[in-house]
């Protein structure tokens, strides 16, 4: 039976991915820095800090996964500016520790590495949908660390490790931290509707355009990428994108239109990123052609469920 180990399983993506892997019939194990307070039935847990090489080796030796989806990372761009050492240690050295452990303890395991569309950085200034052959010009420590991890991974691929690199574009959905834009909007709307916040929405750059995907669609892509392990020949790198660019102002308008109260908007300079790019959009032809994957969830539905999630929370 195929046995998938998910690192970073307690994170935003990991929680959704575990459900999809179980539904697809995989045996699933998860590696997390702390025990999951509500563990899923049938999922084995390993406590693992990927910055610890011997712990990575011991985990892989014990679990012997056939597949690994490596999500564990410092994933928040502002955090990568505040704590670059933590970011590089986790995203680069942590990935290297895991790959060394794969090489030694589970050499046949197939690795799906969750990189990021952020690696394209300055290349987005061309204003066109970028494909996997576009230049990578990272504009922040997070993006640079993901690109460095990709380079390391490619060396392991050359030495016989099997796997692929995924570059997901902006994925959103229930459970995402309000440090990210759509979750921040949803949280504020929920708080305004319950009179916990004045009816003024604090926003950052609304003019930026981004390629948004539902996290469920991104996880479906990861699950499909696992199937490449049955093939001998496959591309090593895949964009996971919708191919559509949406202005953040339009997303805000859509979410406010779904609100039950009148809301005004105020610019918060602290929410502006130091090196923002006006338009980021991805070309997803490769994953569509190779695996038949395409996004299935309309953005409006994702935004509605995001809002419903924040309205239902007592800790918003
Ligand atoms: O900090 P924790 O305990 O919540 O765990 C986070 C985990 N993580 C680590 N795991 C093992 N060893 C470490 N040193 C370590 N540092 C962080 O990675 C968390 O559960 C997970 C990342 O989750 P999120 O920040 O929610 O990221 P998200 O959105 O789920 O993204 C998944 C992946 C990341 O690699 C992104 O860079 C990529 O997709 O695009």
């Amino acid at each position: 039976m195929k046995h998938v180990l998910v690192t970073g399983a307690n994170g935003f993506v990991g929680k959704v991915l575990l459900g999809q892997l179980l539904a697809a019939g995989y045996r699933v194990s998860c590696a997390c820095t702390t025990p999951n307070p509500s563990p899923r039935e049938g999922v084995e847990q390993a406590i693992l800090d990927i910055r610890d090489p011997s712990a990575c080796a011991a985990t892989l030796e014990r679990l012997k996964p056939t597949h690994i989806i490596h999500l564990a990372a410092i994933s928040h761009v502002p955090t990568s500016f505040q704590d670059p050492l933590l970011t590089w240690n986790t995203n680069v050295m942590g990935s290297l520790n895991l790959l060394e452990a794969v090489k030694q303890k589970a050499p046949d395991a197939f690795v799906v590495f969750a990189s990021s569309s952020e690696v394209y950085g300055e290349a987005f200034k061309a204003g066109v949908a970028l494909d996997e052959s576009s230049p990578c010009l990272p504009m922040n420590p997070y993006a640079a660390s993901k690109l460095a991890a990709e380079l390391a991974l490619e060396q392991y691929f050359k030495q016989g490790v099997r796997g692929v690199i995924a570059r997901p574009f902006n994925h959103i959905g229930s459970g995402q931290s309000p440090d990210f834009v759509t979750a921040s909007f949803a949280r504020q709307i929920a708080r305004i509707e319950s009179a916990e916040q004045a009816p003024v929405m604090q926003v950052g750059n609304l003019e930026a355009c981004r390629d948004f995907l539902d996290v469920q669609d991104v996880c479906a892509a990861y699950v499909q990428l696992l199937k490449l392990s049955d093939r001998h020949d496959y591309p090593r790198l895949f964009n996971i994108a919708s191919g559509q660019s949406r202005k953040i102002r339009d997303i805000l308008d859509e979410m406010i239109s779904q609100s039950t109260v009148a809301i005004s908007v105020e610019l918060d300079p602290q929410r502006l990123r130091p090196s923002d790019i006006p338009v980021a959009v991805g070309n997803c032809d490769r994953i569509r052609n190779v695996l038949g994957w395409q996004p299935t969830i309309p953005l409006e539905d994702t935004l509605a469920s995001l809002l419903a999630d924040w309205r239902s929370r007592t800790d918003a």
Side-chain angles (χ1 to χ4, degrees):
M1 187 184 196
K2 289 178 176 169
H3 174 195
V4 187
L5 172 66
V6 179
T7 70
N10 278 348
F12 164 57
V13 176
K15 287 184 188 132
V16 177
L17 184 60
L18 288 190
Q20 290 198 12
L21 288 168
L22 290 170
Y26 288 100
R27 176 181 162 202
V28 183
S29 296
C30 64
C32 317
T33 55
T34 51
N36 188 327
S38 41
R40 277 176 180 270
E41 202 179 325
V43 175
E44 191 168 347
Q45 275 194 62
I47 302 304
L48 174 67
D49 184 330
I50 58 168
R51 292 169 300 172
D52 179 345
S54 52
C56 286
T59 301
L60 291 205
E61 182 160 40
R62 179 166 71 85
L63 295 174
K64 290 260 184 270
T66 58
H67 296 72
I68 299 170
I69 303 183
H70 176 34
L71 302 176
I74 301 301
S75 66
H76 184 227
V77 171
T79 303
S80 76
F81 280 106
Q82 286 150 20
D83 202 338
L85 279 183
L86 173 71
T87 305
W88 285 87
N89 276 330
T90 308
N91 296 3
V92 183
M93 294 314 297
S95 297
L96 278 162
N97 292 336
L98 192 71
L99 285 157
E100 273 300 307
V102 168
K103 220 170 87 174
Q104 290 162 22
K105 307 292 182 187
D108 296 327
F110 183 90
V111 182
V112 175
F113 173 58
S115 180
S116 167
S117 61
E118 286 273 344
V119 298
Y120 293 119
E122 206 134 358
F124 282 121
K125 289 185 176 163
V128 297
L130 300 185
D131 67 20
E132 293 83 355
S133 65
S134 302
C136 292
L137 304 167
M139 294 170 75
N140 57 62
Y142 165 71
S145 71
K146 283 287 178 179
L147 186 59
E150 285 191 15
L151 285 173
L153 215 81
E154 281 166 15
Q155 291 305 311
Y156 284 88
F157 290 160
K158 284 187 206 299
Q159 293 165 31
V161 170
R162 301 167 68 231
V164 291
I165 294 164
R167 290 182 180 159
F169 282 63
N170 298 61
H171 35 306
I172 62 174
S174 304
Q176 192 170 29
S177 154
D179 291 335
F180 293 84
V181 63
T182 51
S184 162
F185 292 166
R187 176 174 184 261
Q188 291 189 67
I189 290 173
R191 285 172 55 83
I192 290 168
E193 286 176 351
S194 60
E196 287 165 85
Q197 177 175 329
V200 183
M201 188 90 138
Q202 301 293 325
V203 300
N205 178 8
L206 293 180
E207 300 313 309
C209 296
R210 295 288 180 267
D211 185 326
F212 286 101
L213 292 159
D214 193 294
V215 64
Q216 295 280 355
D217 279 328
V218 173
C219 289
Y222 291 150
V223 175
Q224 292 212 33
L225 287 170
L226 294 175
K227 295 186 184 145
L228 293 174
S229 67
D230 297 331
R231 299 193 194 174
H232 288 299
D233 211 17
Y234 49 85
R236 294 292 192 181
L237 182 60
F238 289 90
N239 278 350
I240 303 175
S242 75
Q244 285 186 5
S245 181
R246 310 282 196 126
K247 191 174 270 199
I248 293 180
R249 180 181 295 281
D250 295 341
I251 289 185
L252 177 63
D253 289 347
E254 168 68 28
M255 292 179 83
I256 288 179
S257 80
Q258 292 183 16
S259 169
T260 53
V261 295
I263 296 175
S264 60
V265 172
E266 191 173 273
L267 185 72
D268 173 4
Q270 290 197 332
R271 290 170 196 251
L272 293 174
R273 274 198 196 178
S275 50
D276 222 341
I277 33 185
V279 180
V281 60
N283 175 315
C284 55
D285 287 353
R286 180 177 286 176
I287 191 164
R288 186 185 295 121
N289 294 336
V290 174
L291 287 165
W293 174 90
Q294 59 183 13
T296 58
I297 304 171
L299 185 63
E300 293 65 29
D301 293 0
T302 304
L303 298 177
S305 59
L306 189 56
L307 209 44
D309 178 53
W310 280 97
R311 282 178 179 137
S312 71
R313 290 190 192 202
T314 49
D315 60 342

